[in-house]
Amino acid sequence: MLAEFATLPLQFDTPLAGELFLLGRILFGVTLAFMGLNHFMDLETMAGYAEFKGLPAPQFSVIASGAVLVLGGLGVAAGAFPVVAAGALAFFLIVSAVTMHDFWSVDDPEEKQNEMTSFLKNVYGAGAALALLAVGGTAWPYAVGIGLF
């Protein structure tokens, strides 16, 4: 017999819950925004890697993914458009994990390990973004509070 799960509304009324949620959003969002800035600061190198991985329009792909990371990361950190920000980040991280960090097709052991690390980084980042997406329609403490939903 399976246990029944009850769904409770998201609550931030326990001590420091809102502050810890804000800190988690800042750590997650600002880190991704910084990674997005790197897309712009090292555009040529990253576009070369994207081309090596077979992405169409590699320079555009790097610019677009940098924009998603910067805007999505800042959106999550600030609590602005949280559903859009977290959803875009989750989608990007899942897609880039599979397309850019396909460790299963790499023969060199060192390169394989680097790709696996990047793949796993994207997967756990996508998990965090999906968790934020799940609560994106609720009121976040210490948030700008603007959004579409």
Side-chain angles (χ1 to χ4, degrees), residues 44-65:
E44 190 174 312
T45 302
M46 294 190 96
Y49 184 69
E51 185 174 23
F52 169 74
K53 287 295 192 168
L55 255 63
Q59 189 164 2
F60 174 78
S61 296
V62 171
I63 291 169
S65 61

Side-chain angles (χ1 to χ4, degrees), residues 81-84 146-149:
F81 301 99
V83 172
V84 175
I146 57 173
L148 300 175
F149 307 99

Side-chain angles (χ1 to χ4, degrees), residues 16-147:
L16 298 177
E19 291 79 6
L20 290 172
F21 189 68
L22 172 63
L23 180 60
R25 287 181 7 230
I26 290 170
L27 291 172
F28 180 69
V30 171
T31 299
L32 289 174
F34 179 74
M35 289 170 58
L37 283 177
N38 283 337
H39 281 62
F40 299 108
M41 295 187 304
D42 199 11
L43 179 60
E44 190 174 312
T45 302
M46 294 190 96
Y49 184 69
E51 185 174 23
F52 169 74
K53 287 295 192 168
L55 255 63
Q59 189 164 2
F60 174 78
S61 296
V62 171
I63 291 169
S65 61
V68 167
L69 287 168
V70 170
L71 296 174
L74 293 177
V76 163
F81 301 99
V83 172
V84 175
L89 289 170
F91 179 78
F92 165 75
L93 289 166
I94 290 168
V95 169
S96 69
V98 175
T99 59
M100 296 298 292
H101 305 298
D102 54 345
F103 66 91
W104 52 88
S105 66
V106 177
D107 293 328
D108 179 57
E110 187 175 332
E111 187 181 338
K112 183 181 205 110
Q113 182 62 52
N114 289 337
E115 291 295 350
M116 183 186 292
T117 300
S118 294
F119 175 86
L120 293 172
K121 175 190 72 172
N122 282 17
V123 169
Y124 76 70
L130 288 171
L132 289 168
L133 177 59
V135 298
T138 63
W140 288 3
Y142 307 106
V144 173
I146 57 173

